[in-house]
Amino acid sequence: MKREGAKATVLLLTGGSGGIAVKDGVPTSNNFLVRSRDLFAANGFNVVVVGKPSDHDDLDGTFRTSPEHAEDLRRVIAFVKSDAGAPVWVVGTSMGTISAAALATVAGKDEVSGIVLTSSVTRKKVGALPQQKLESVKQPVLVVHHQSDECKICVPGDVPQIIQQLKNAPIKKELYISGGSTPTGDPCQALHRHGFIGAEKEVVDLISDWIKNPKP
């Protein structure tokens, strides 16, 4: 989704198995980032929604932390930069934070200008953020979590540990969201607090303001 005069491109990495439910060329997933893509565009960014590669049905933690996945994403970034010419910021949610963090540990600042981790995976999964070499991340990092997230693998109380491990990030910030509309369904799915239901615009605006002017 290209925007005239965009100062940056946001690369959106979804959670779960990594699918975006494309129908007639349009992603229809309820994932927080997919359903909020127009809000990012409204903030003046080019928007790229990344789906699954054709040879992987389930982007589990093992694949999301693999060199193969990082290479896939680096090629997407190279294409987007050649096409749009703007710096790229990677935004991941839930399982997508595993991908975003793993990419940032190997990608240079010339490739990835910064990362945003929303509803981060902190426990029980291969590639959970506290397991990763976060000290290798040398880009600005924003960590956003709903303070009432009830997903057992994405625990708000674990966020300070992530921040602590980001020893070499030049700028790092943690943001806690409250409120939204009444959650429904699985606490680890998109229509619960885990997916910032009813608070999408607030969250995207906070993320967008920070990308435009990163501050601790």
Side-chain angles (χ1 to χ4, degrees):
M1 298 165 61
K2 290 173 81 169
R3 300 277 294 177
E4 191 70 38
K7 296 287 195 295
T9 298
V10 291
L11 197 79
L12 306 182
L13 304 179
T14 67
S17 62
I20 57 175
V22 174
K23 290 179 184 169
D24 299 323
V26 177
T28 61
S29 165
N30 274 331
N31 178 269
F32 159 61
L33 292 178
V34 176
R35 69 173 191 265
S36 300
R37 63 189 183 278
D38 289 329
L39 297 172
F40 282 101
N43 272 284
F45 299 122
N46 300 314
V47 181
V48 180
V49 182
V50 183
K52 291 186 287 194
S54 57
D55 56 348
H56 281 273
D57 274 342
D58 183 6
L59 304 196
D60 60 9
T62 302
F63 181 71
R64 287 180 182 273
T65 52
S66 70
E68 182 186 352
H69 184 49
E71 178 63 19
D72 284 348
L73 294 176
R74 291 170 100 163
R75 289 191 183 210
V76 172
I77 289 167
F79 168 78
V80 169
K81 285 196 164 186
S82 68
D83 188 51
V88 173
W89 293 72
V90 178
V91 185
T93 197
S94 196
M95 290 290 286
T97 62
I98 295 177
S99 299
L103 174 65
T105 65
V106 296
K109 288 179 276 191
D110 54 330
E111 286 181 280
V112 175
S113 294
I115 62 171
V116 180
L117 307 170
T118 70
S119 303
S120 297
V121 175
T122 62
R123 300 183 184 185
K124 297 181 180 177
K125 291 283 185 183
V126 173
L129 269 61
Q131 300 173 12
Q132 294 200 39
K133 296 177 180 175
L134 298 182
E135 67 277 4
S136 299
V137 177
K138 296 186 171 67
Q139 297 96 332
V141 183
L142 175 65
V143 184
V144 185
H145 219 99
H146 198 294
Q147 64 184 21
S148 301
D149 190 336
E150 295 172 36
C151 184
K152 296 285 193 288
I153 65 167
C154 305
V155 181
D158 293 342
V159 170
Q161 183 182 350
I162 296 171
I163 296 293
Q164 191 175 6
Q165 288 178 236
L166 289 163
K167 294 174 182 171
N168 296 307
I171 300 168
K172 52 190 176 182
K173 183 179 180 68
E174 56 189 305
L175 272 179
Y176 295 95
I177 305 301
S178 60
S181 56
T182 303
T184 56
D186 186 332
C188 289
Q189 293 299 323
L191 303 182
H192 218 277
R193 295 183 186 91
H194 178 70
F196 305 104
I197 191 69
E200 295 88 350
K201 187 174 188 309
E202 176 192 356
V203 176
V204 172
D205 286 350
L206 286 167
I207 291 170
S208 300
D209 289 348
W210 187 84
I211 288 174
K212 292 171 185 174
N213 186 21
K215 290 180 179 177

